[in-house]
């Protein structure tokens, strides 16, 4: 089932949480909704599910092309997984998963045996077979999350909405579950929108990524598109670390190396260059290129790469560079060394654009 | 669990409504008698007696419900809508208040004999055995170390009789032995004269005011009703002397034994005439006028007068009164009409808001 | 019961044996002894006294407070004896009627308060709306209004001279004790009544109103924290899984609040059965309107203290049963929590 949101606005009192948002998710797609805390991700998701009503006259939600404004939550064929699981505390895992089936009117309700079978299958799917009898409080965070998912899947929803499914988990478990979710989506093939404020997660798992900020979707695209070709400075900053070099277009900025496209770099005026740490170049010698001068403040090893923190001598700004292990050893950097900084690739936005 | 709650609900309802599945019983006649505090035992017995009588006369079953409390409070409740078919209160003013509210027609005092007052009573003292504080007359009540127990005249009828008794004594009101024909005649004569007078010096009597002011300084707590005061004195053991109804004093000494208390008759007291009346508005609405009238009339029958005597009220029937002479000795009494003209005047002067009582009585800060 | 709770909590502390507090063991002993002594003097002793007084004339005396025969007909006996027996029989009859009245009033009040308490707790706990704080204060109002004033409020509203006096004094309703089953033949409504009552104050209806007023906060108040803590997510999850509103309430909301609800019901019952002030005002001192506490006072004022204590012993018994239930509930709840059922109170 496809999901389409048209010009949705949702306010709480006089605070607008979602402003004129439009979004199309095709059948079977896995879309990630990213953005900082308070940007309106949950609100958008809840509006799609029908847990919130859009402002009067402000927005339409279409499921499979049909306006669902009059459909209550229970009839939208949506599986919703809440940010904090919302498992029924007083029910066992089995009862939780079976809930959606048991509350059906008796005509369409599966028999006890069928329900037991479906629950068993779902628990297999989320790899928690044998835990039927436990209560939610006896599960780990990741297990609870998976039960919440199994519960939502039990009613065979046409759309799955996941609100920060891995929010409360530690990094390692998150990484595992991410892969698992990808696999699950592949197996079940249900249209899925999931919220996260972890960009790495979004880039890794989703078919497409929608970046939200202050109630607005700033950009939608494939992970490569939004990462490599950010439409706005916000998207660029939000997806991964970036260094900011402020300067005057064509003069200062030109001197530190070639610039990438963005705004017209030749037009004069103030602008900022955004450079990812792995695009920063460090050399011991001023090798012909016009470069900036900086001092090494500290270094840290993170797996296969090494991060070097520098302070520019003219602007006193901090720059983060990511070097391969080899390159780092080659340079033999020590704290206090003076080096030359330039970049391989940068994205320049004129300064009338504020983040 | 829901089922068990449901079950207990059903059980409770079944217990509380035993009539639930019973076929309709024969229509019952019901009567509500709103009375003052101490008459509970009197009417419990009288009601039984009347119900038997009524059944023998009409074949109908009668249930009389009782309500007892401070006389003023009771009158207030009737005015506020308590559906009393008859009121049997402590003093005429309270019935007048109901009359003023439009529920009783004027002239009610002439509907039954003796100004609609089937018995009389008076105010006496109850002291602890051996009379350790030596209390013999009104003057002794204000001796320095005496604690007096009396109810609040604002709410209690008996308390208002107390007040008038004390005031009348201190004002030297002329009193007569009403059990003698001569005394009765003198008293009636005095009342007839009083009715003609315009001003009443007794209300301005300074020594009376001083005495009563003193007296209420000796009262540590004012109960709302006469029975409350008796309980305070007899059951809780507070105070040296209870000033109150003769019948209350007797009941307390009956209940707790003659070895606990002594009744002291002061030299002079007041003749209390508790009135009865049919509440016209209510009986007309309920269609109970006949039975209500019969009920009150029966109070004057020998059977009822006997019960009245048994409960230490003074029967109107002189023959029966004579039978109880031992317990209800003759004493000098002044009447409200002879001394204070009438209840309306006494009520307005003494007990209305900002009346004499409010001026002299300040609750002691504790 | 209270002692048991105290004991368990101190045991629990002892299990954890904290060296920092272990040195102050004697403090714990002194405090425990002080508490036990305090409870002994102020709770156990008076309670024991109630039962001792109630049985001061033996078991037959106790029974006599509830069931006493009138004087035998046709048998000659001294007048005073006769009158005494009449009084005793009438007193016992009124005592029984007071018990019935208390059960009826208490049950009605509890049913009403459960319905409205759940609704109020729900409204306050789950939704945001203007005037919510005001609503909470209003729910709490009966706690801060003296019960006597509460009773007077009803008199001022529904008394003959009250705001709605004209309507209220002519308001007719069936006497619940006279309702009987008459079946459906010829009627759409299978209940009949022998007796109609009129008016609101000074009738059992007034007693019910007064009782509901003073007991209103108990259910709502014991539910509110739980309902609020529970949040809306579980219910929304249920809705999103296709449950109807009723199914959601029945299967998700109710199980989560059941202990709090049971506790609220117990508090409400005890208060409803024990209420004196408000009920005293609206009863008009009429014997037919007596509840147990009013009756206890009247018996006491009739110098029949043994009967008064016998009747009071029923209330004391109720309190003990309530404590017992509370104990079982606490224990069951602890068990469910241990099992992971998460029954939050
Ligand atoms: N019920 C509500 N009443 C008022 N304001 C609300 C309500 N729910 C959300 N908001 C506001 O709307 C904005 C968006 O909230 P939302 O929950 O959608 O953010 P989010 O992007 O999901 O954030 P997070 O990542 O922290 O979950 C926030 O500023 C929040 O304060
Ligand atoms: Mg959120």
């Amino acid at each position: 089932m496809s999901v389409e949101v048209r010009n949705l606005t949702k306010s709480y009192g006089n605070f607008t949480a979602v402003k004129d948002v439009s979004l199309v998710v095709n059948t079977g797609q896995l879309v990630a909704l990213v953005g900082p805390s308070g940007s309106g991700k949950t609100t958008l998701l809840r509006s799609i599910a029908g847990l919130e009503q859009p402002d009067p006259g402000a927005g339409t939600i279409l499921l499979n092309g049909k306006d669902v404004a009059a459909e209550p939550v229970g009839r939208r064929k949506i599986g919703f997984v809440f940010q904090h699981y919302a498992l029924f505390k007083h029910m066992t895992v089995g009862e939780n998963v079976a809930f959606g089936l048991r509350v059906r009117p008796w005509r369409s309700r599966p028999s006890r045996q069928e329900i037991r079978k479906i629950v068993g299958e779902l628990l297999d799917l989320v790899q928690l077979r044998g835990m039927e009898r436990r209560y939610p409080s006896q599960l780990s965070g990741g297990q609870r999350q998976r039960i919440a998912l199994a519960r939502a899947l039990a009613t065979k929803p046409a759309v799955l909405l996941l609100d920060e499914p891995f929010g409360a988990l530690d990094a390692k478990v998150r990484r595992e579950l991410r892969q698992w979710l990808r696999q699950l989506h592949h197996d079940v093939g249900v249209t899925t929108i999931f919220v996260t404020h972890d960009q790495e997660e979004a880039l890794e798992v989703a078919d497409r990524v929608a970046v939200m900020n202050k109630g607005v979707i700033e950009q939608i695209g494939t992970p490569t598109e939004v990462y490599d070709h950010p439409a706005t400075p916000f998207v660029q900053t939000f997806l991964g670390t970036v260094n900011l070099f402020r300067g005057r277009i064509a003069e200062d900025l030109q001197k530190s190396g070639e610039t990438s496209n963005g705004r017209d770099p030749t037009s004069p005026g103030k602008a900022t260059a955004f450079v990812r740490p792995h695009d920063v170049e460090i050399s011991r010698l001023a090798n012909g290129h016009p470069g900036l001068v900086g001092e090494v403040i500290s270094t840290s090893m993170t797996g296969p790469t090494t991060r070097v923190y520098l302070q520019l001598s003219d602007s006193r700004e901090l720059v983060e560079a990511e070097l391969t292990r080899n390159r780092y050893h080659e340079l033999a950097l020590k704290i206090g060394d003076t080096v030359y900084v330039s970049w391989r690739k940068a994205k320049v936005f004129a300064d009338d654009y504020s983040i | 669990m829901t089922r068990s709650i449901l079950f207990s609900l059903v059980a409770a309802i079944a217990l509380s409504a035993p009539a639930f599945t019973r076929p309709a019983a024969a229509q019952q006649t019901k009567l509500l008698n709103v009375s003052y505090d101490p008459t509970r035992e009197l009417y419990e017995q009288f009601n039984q007696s009347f119900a038997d009588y009524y059944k023998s006369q009409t074949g109908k079953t009668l249930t009389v419900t009782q309500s007892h409390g401070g006389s003023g409070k009771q009158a207030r409740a009737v005015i506020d809508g308590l559906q009393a078919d008859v009121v049997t209160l402590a003093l005429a003013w309270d019935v007048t208040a109901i009359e003023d509210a439009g529920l009783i027609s004027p002239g009610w005092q002439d509907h039954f004999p003796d100004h609609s007052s089937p018995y009389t009573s008076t105010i006496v003292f109850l002291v602890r055995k051996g009379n350790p504080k030596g209390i013999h007359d009104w003057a002794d009540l204000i001796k320095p170390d005496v604690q007096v127990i009396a109810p609040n005249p604002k709410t209690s009828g008996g308390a208002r009789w107390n007040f008038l008794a004390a005031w009348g004594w201190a004002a030297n009101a002329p009193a007569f032995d009403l059990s003698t024909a001569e005394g009765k005649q003198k008293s009636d004569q005095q009342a007839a004269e009083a009715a003609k007078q315009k001003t009443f010096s007794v209300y301005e009597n300074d020594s009376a005011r001083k005495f009563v002011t003193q007296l209420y300084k000796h009262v540590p707590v004012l109960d709302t009703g006469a029975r409350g005061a008796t309980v305070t004195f007899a059951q809780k053991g507070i105070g040296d002397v209870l000033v109150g109804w003769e019948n209350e004093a007797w009941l307390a000494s009956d209940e707790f034994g003659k070895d606990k208390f002594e009744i002291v008759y002061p030299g002079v007291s007041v003749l209390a005439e508790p009135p009865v009346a049919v509440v016209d508005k209510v009986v007309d609405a309920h269609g109970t006028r006949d039975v209500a009238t019969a009920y009150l009339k029966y109070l004057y029958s020998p059977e009822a007068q006997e019960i009245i005597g048994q409960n230490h009220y003074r029967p109107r029937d002189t023959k029966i009164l004579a039978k109880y002479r031992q317990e209800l000795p003759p004493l000098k009494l002044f009447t409200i009409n002879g001394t204070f003209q009438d209840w309306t005047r006494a009520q307005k002067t003494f007990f209305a808001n900002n009346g004499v009582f409010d001026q002299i009585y300040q609750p002691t800060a504790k | 019961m209270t002692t048991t709770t105290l004991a368990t909590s101190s045991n629990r502390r002892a299990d954890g044996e904290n060296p920092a507090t272990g040195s102050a063991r004697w403090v714990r002993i002194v405090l425990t002894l002080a508490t036990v002594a305090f409870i002994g003097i102020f709770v156990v002793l008076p309670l024991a006294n109630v039962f001792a007084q109630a049985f001061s004339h033996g078991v037959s005396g106790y029974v006599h407070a509830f069931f006493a025969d009138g004087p035998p007909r046709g048998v000659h006996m001294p007048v005073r004896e006769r009158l005494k027996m009449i009084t005793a029989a009438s007193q016992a009859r009124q005592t029984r009627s007071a018990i019935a009245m208390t059960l009826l009033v208490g049950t009605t009040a509890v049913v009403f308060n459960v319905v409205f308490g759940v609704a109020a707790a729900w409204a306050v706990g789950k939704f945001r709306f203007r005037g919510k704080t005001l609503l909470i204060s209003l729910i709490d109002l009966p706690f801060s209004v003296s019960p006597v004033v509460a009773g007077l409020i009803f008199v001022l509203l529904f008394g003959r001279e009250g705001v709605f006096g004209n309507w209220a004094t002519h308001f007719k309703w069936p006497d619940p004790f006279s309702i009987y089953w008459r079946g459906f033949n010829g009627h759409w409504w299978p209940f009949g009544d022998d007796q109609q009552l009129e008016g609101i104050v000074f009738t059992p209806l007034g007693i019910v109103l007064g009782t509901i007023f003073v007991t209103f906060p108990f259910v709502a108040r014991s539910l509110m924290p739980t309902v609020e803590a529970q949040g809306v997510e579980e219910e929304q999850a249920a809705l999103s899984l296709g449950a109807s509103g009723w199914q959601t309430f029945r299967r998700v909301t109710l199980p989560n609040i059941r202990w709090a609800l049971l506790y609220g019901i117990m508090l409400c019952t005890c208060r409803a059965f024990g209420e004196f002030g408000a009920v005293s005002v609206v009863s008009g001192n009429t014997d037919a309107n007596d509840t147990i506490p009013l009756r206890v006072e009247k018996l006491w004022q009739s110098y029949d203290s043994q009967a008064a204590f016998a009747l009071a012993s029923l209330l004391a018994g109720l309190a003990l049963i309530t404590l017992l239930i509370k104990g079982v509930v606490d224990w069951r709840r602890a068990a469910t929590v241990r099992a992971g059922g998460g029954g939050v109170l």
Side-chain angles (χ1 to χ4, degrees):
Chain A
M1 188 152 80
S2 66
V3 177
E4 186 176 353
V5 176
R6 279 191 203 148
N7 308 95
L8 178 86
T9 299
K10 168 73 195 169
S11 318
Y12 297 108
N14 34 17
F15 174 78
T16 311
V18 169
K19 284 179 217 142
D20 197 27
V21 162
S22 296
L23 172 74
V24 180
V25 180
N26 293 327
T27 309
Q29 261 188 344
L30 177 59
V31 170
L33 211 52
V34 291
S37 187
S39 58
K41 307 181 293 291
T42 299
T43 308
L44 176 57
L45 212 61
R46 290 171 60 85
S47 305
I48 295 173
L51 292 171
E52 302 283 355
Q53 293 304 313
D55 290 354
T60 324
I61 288 153
L62 304 129
L63 297 180
N64 255 357
K66 193 167 143 270
D67 187 351
V68 290
E71 293 278 300
V73 200
R75 284 212 240 121
R76 292 194 182 185
K77 287 193 164 303
I78 279 177
F80 200 100
V81 176
F82 289 81
Q83 200 161 354
H84 305 290
Y85 325 127
L87 291 177
F88 306 129
K89 291 189 282 294
H90 60 288
M91 296 183 200
T92 61
V93 164
E95 287 164 347
N96 261 283
V97 176
F99 185 86
L101 301 171
R102 288 201 180 145
V103 295
R104 288 210 186 143
W106 65 269
R107 239 173 301 208
S108 56
R109 193 189 308 150
S111 70
R112 271 164 192 272
Q113 288 87 340
E114 280 174 284
I115 291 182
R116 202 170 312 136
K117 190 164 145 274
I118 297 173
V119 169
E121 283 166 10
L122 282 164
L123 289 181
D124 274 343
L125 187 68
V126 297
Q127 298 161 11
L128 287 173
R129 175 64 108 171
M131 301 233 178
E132 286 92 334
R133 290 282 167 81
R134 295 218 198 163
Y135 282 95
S137 58
Q138 296 165 315
L139 298 178
S140 76
Q143 289 170 334
R144 283 180 214 178
Q145 191 59 63
R146 281 181 277 162
I147 294 300
L149 203 56
R151 182 178 70 178
L153 288 172
T155 51
K156 290 216 172 8
V159 176
L160 201 52
L161 302 177
L162 310 173
D163 194 356
E164 306 215 18
F166 315 127
L169 307 177
D170 66 64
K172 187 165 178 303
V173 182
R174 287 175 83 121
R175 222 164 290 133
E176 277 171 25
L177 283 177
R178 231 182 262 167
Q179 288 315 314
W180 174 82
L181 176 66
R182 184 74 246 185
Q183 188 60 42
L184 182 84
H185 179 256
H186 180 80
D187 295 346
V188 182
V190 59
T191 312
T192 306
I193 305 177
F194 84 100
V195 165
T196 170
H197 52 221
D198 179 341
Q199 359 87 18
E200 210 183 306
E201 197 166 281
L203 297 174
E204 197 178 320
V205 178
D207 297 329
R208 294 205 304 146
V209 176
V211 186
M212 279 195 84
N213 182 32
K214 295 181 182 158
V216 177
I217 293 189
E218 299 233 349
Q219 188 177 7
I220 310 181
T222 62
T224 333
E225 270 164 21
V226 292
Y227 190 79
D228 289 335
H229 308 287
T232 65
F234 172 80
V235 175
Q236 168 109 23
T237 349
F238 187 73
L239 298 175
T241 331
V242 284
N243 293 299
L244 273 60
F245 295 93
R246 296 175 202 287
R248 297 195 70 83
I249 289 172
E251 297 168 25
D252 295 11
L253 287 175
Q254 290 286 342
K255 83 180 174 192
S256 42
E258 60 181 296
T259 59
S260 167
N261 54 340
R263 288 295 179 85
D264 178 5
T266 52
S267 71
K270 282 204 164 148
T272 308
F274 293 78
V275 183
R276 301 249 183 241
H278 55 84
D279 287 329
V280 175
E281 275 261 88
I282 296 178
S283 56
R284 287 244 170 224
L285 303 166
N287 52 0
H289 280 304
L292 301 165
V293 182
E295 188 188 322
V296 178
I297 308 239
S298 68
T299 60
S300 77
M301 310 256 274
T302 51
T305 59
T306 301
R307 284 175 192 273
V308 179
Y309 298 90
L310 307 145
Q311 188 169 40
L312 299 182
S313 45
D314 47 2
S315 67
R316 316 298 302 165
E317 276 183 87
L318 286 177
V319 173
E320 184 184 331
E322 194 181 314
L323 306 180
T324 60
R325 205 53 87 81
N326 284 345
R327 178 72 183 144
Y328 176 68
H329 286 305
E330 218 173 278
L331 287 166
L333 291 175
K334 287 194 302 293
I335 288 165
D337 284 358
T338 303
V339 293
Y340 294 90
V341 181
S342 60
W343 55 76
R344 282 185 285 272
K345 190 175 143 200
K347 183 120 184 165
V348 178
F349 293 98
D351 272 3
D352 57 349
Y353 198 107
S354 67
I355 301 169
Chain B
M1 192 210 58
T2 345
R3 205 163 303 151
S4 68
I5 290 178
L6 214 66
F7 175 76
S8 51
L9 284 188
V10 170
I13 289 167
L15 262 176
S16 56
F20 202 67
T21 50
R22 218 175 44 197
Q27 187 79 27
Q28 284 191 342
T29 314
K30 280 196 174 182
L31 218 51
L32 173 59
N33 174 5
V34 171
S35 190
Y36 61 111
D37 234 356
T39 56
R40 166 176 298 282
E41 293 77 14
L42 167 65
Y43 281 109
E44 254 158 21
Q45 297 161 9
F46 172 74
N47 288 345
Q48 181 71 53
S49 173
F50 180 70
D52 291 348
Y53 165 77
Y54 188 72
K55 181 130 200 177
S56 71
Q57 294 289 306
T58 62
K60 285 189 217 155
T61 309
L62 175 74
T63 315
V64 185
T65 308
Q66 296 169 237
S67 167
H68 298 271
S71 185
K73 248 173 92 183
Q74 294 292 80
R76 183 71 235 172
V78 172
I79 293 167
D80 279 333
L82 181 56
Q83 303 277 308
D85 299 280
V86 299
V87 287
T88 54
L89 296 175
L91 46 89
W93 164 254
D94 288 330
V95 182
T96 308
I98 302 173
E99 176 191 327
D100 290 347
L103 296 173
I104 295 177
S105 334
W108 56 270
Q109 266 177 311
D110 305 325
H111 288 171
F112 299 98
D114 301 309
H115 326 293
S116 291
S117 170
Y119 59 85
T120 67
S121 189
T122 189
I123 299 300
V124 300
F125 306 154
L126 186 68
V127 297
R128 304 202 184 277
K129 189 70 193 173
N131 199 353
K133 294 283 165 87
I135 292 158
H136 302 289
D137 207 346
W138 291 98
D140 301 323
L141 297 180
I142 57 169
K143 287 200 292 197
D145 58 342
V146 173
Q147 264 199 342
V148 179
I149 300 301
N152 188 345
K154 303 288 265 192
T155 53
S156 158
R160 275 175 266 179
W161 288 114
N162 285 352
F163 185 102
L164 294 183
W167 190 283
W169 169 80
N172 275 322
F176 312 94
D177 179 357
L178 298 171
S179 63
T180 63
E182 188 200 350
K184 202 159 168 33
Q185 191 198 341
K186 276 190 186 160
S187 173
D188 289 348
Q189 205 175 331
Q190 183 204 22
E193 272 164 34
K196 290 181 214 139
Q197 264 164 283
K198 281 266 171 334
T199 54
F200 267 75
S201 59
V202 70
Y203 286 106
E204 267 79 54
N205 192 304
D206 258 353
S207 54
R209 191 184 172 104
K210 264 198 204 113
F211 174 73
V212 172
T213 309
Q214 276 297 311
L215 177 62
Y216 280 96
K217 287 217 170 91
H218 286 256
V219 181
V221 274
L222 289 175
D223 285 287
T224 55
R227 182 55 62 85
T230 318
V231 166
T232 301
F233 179 77
Q235 217 151 355
K236 297 186 191 155
I238 298 172
D240 302 306
V241 51
L242 171 74
V243 179
W245 292 110
E246 182 180 33
N247 51 285
E248 279 291 286
W250 272 105
L251 183 69
S253 78
D254 274 359
E255 287 291 334
F256 293 96
K258 303 265 188 291
D259 54 333
K260 290 254 174 56
F261 305 111
E262 272 175 34
I263 296 172
V264 172
Y265 281 88
V268 174
S269 192
V270 69
L271 174 75
E273 297 179 296
V276 300
V278 167
V279 184
D280 298 288
K281 271 275 166 60
V282 177
V283 293
D284 287 345
H286 291 182
T288 48
R289 179 177 287 282
D290 289 347
V291 56
T293 311
Y295 178 79
L296 293 185
K297 213 162 168 190
Y298 190 70
L299 279 168
Y300 295 87
S301 72
E303 291 80 9
Q305 292 280 306
E306 184 74 42
I307 295 174
I308 284 168
Q310 281 288 345
N311 284 281
H312 316 290
Y313 299 87
R314 298 185 172 222
R316 287 288 190 184
D317 188 317
T318 42
K319 260 190 264 149
I320 295 171
L321 177 62
K323 226 171 107 182
Y324 290 97
R325 168 130 301 177
Q326 205 68 33
E327 292 177 357
L328 308 168
L331 85 158
K332 282 192 162 181
L333 300 169
F334 50 86
T335 63
I336 176 110
N337 292 28
T339 311
F340 300 96
Q341 192 176 29
D342 57 26
W343 254 114
T344 311
R345 189 164 184 145
Q347 172 74 25
K348 294 222 164 102
T349 316
F350 289 135
F351 310 119
N353 277 342
N354 296 319
V356 173
F357 181 75
D358 281 346
Q359 294 161 23
I360 64 163
Y361 182 76
Q362 268 90 37
T364 38
K366 297 223 179 78
Chain C
M1 193 59 238
T2 324
T3 36
T4 343
T5 322
L6 279 170
T8 23
S9 62
S10 55
N11 280 348
R12 208 169 293 148
R13 223 163 293 141
D15 291 343
E17 207 50 273
N18 181 347
T21 52
S23 59
R25 175 170 309 192
W26 64 270
V27 174
R28 207 173 65 211
I29 293 169
V30 167
L31 283 179
T32 311
L33 283 179
T35 317
V36 169
F38 189 85
I39 289 168
I41 292 169
F42 289 100
V43 181
V44 179
L45 218 60
L47 208 62
N49 183 47
V50 168
F51 286 98
Q53 297 277 347
F55 286 98
S56 60
H57 300 345
V59 175
S60 65
Y62 187 83
V63 173
H64 189 258
F66 302 102
F67 303 96
D69 291 327
R73 274 169 212 268
V75 176
H76 193 76
M77 60 195 308
V79 179
R80 194 147 282 184
E81 289 285 290
R82 252 185 81 78
L83 295 182
K84 270 236 145 74
M85 285 191 85
I86 290 176
T87 310
S90 144
Q91 295 274 20
R93 181 165 40 76
Q94 275 156 31
T95 298
R96 293 197 302 274
S97 119
I99 295 169
M101 179 66 76
T102 303
L103 289 176
L104 188 72
V105 168
T107 315
T108 319
V110 167
V111 169
F112 263 77
N113 283 339
V114 166
V115 172
F116 290 116
V118 169
W122 176 282
V124 166
K126 306 269 166 164
F127 303 105
R128 302 184 196 188
F129 50 90
R130 202 168 297 168
K132 180 163 148 177
T133 336
L134 183 72
L135 182 68
I136 297 177
S137 329
L138 282 179
I139 290 173
D140 278 346
L141 189 72
F143 276 154
S144 49
V145 171
S146 142
V148 174
V149 174
L152 282 174
I153 291 171
F154 286 107
V155 174
L156 290 177
L157 283 178
F158 301 123
R160 204 179 62 91
E161 301 190 332
V163 185
F164 305 111
N166 253 336
W167 168 79
T169 37
H170 298 119
F171 177 71
K172 279 205 165 78
W173 51 283
D175 178 351
F177 291 106
S178 77
I179 291 176
Y180 61 94
W181 177 267
R182 67 178 175 199
F184 282 102
N185 30 356
H187 314 282
W188 65 275
W189 174 245
F191 300 103
D193 53 78
D194 284 342
Q195 207 87 43
Q196 295 246 312
L197 292 173
E198 199 173 8
I200 292 178
V201 283
F202 310 126
T203 68
L205 199 57
I207 312 261
V208 168
L209 287 180
T211 309
I212 288 178
F213 183 86
V214 293
T215 54
F216 183 78
F218 287 102
V219 175
R221 262 300 171 190
S222 21
L223 285 182
M224 262 185 227
T226 316
V227 172
E228 207 151 359
Q230 192 191 356
V232 291
E233 286 208 333
E234 280 187 44
E235 280 149 23
Q236 291 184 342
L239 289 176
S240 77
L241 290 167
S244 67
W246 170 247
Q247 281 174 322
T248 304
F249 177 74
R250 171 71 193 72
R251 287 163 173 262
V252 176
T253 312
L254 203 57
N256 270 300
I257 61 172
R258 63 191 161 177
W259 301 123
L261 185 63
L262 194 62
Y263 192 60
I265 289 175
M266 284 182 328
L267 286 178
C268 181
T269 312
C270 277
R271 179 67 197 266
F273 284 4
E275 173 56 24
F276 181 83
V279 164
S280 162
V281 176
V282 289
S283 80
N285 292 328
T286 306
D287 290 343
N289 292 347
D290 277 352
T291 59
I292 294 178
L294 295 178
R295 188 74 200 129
V296 168
E297 203 211 17
K298 283 186 183 174
L299 285 169
W300 169 258
Q301 289 212 338
S302 308
Y303 308 113
D304 200 349
S305 54
Q306 184 265 328
F309 277 112
L311 188 52
S313 74
L314 294 188
L315 284 182
L318 173 76
L320 289 178
I321 291 171
T322 309
L323 281 178
L324 204 73
I325 295 176
K326 181 168 152 41
V328 173
V329 164
D330 281 348
W331 175 75
R332 284 273 314 264
R333 200 186 63 221
T336 0
V337 170
R338 241 178 287 124
V344 199
L345 190 77

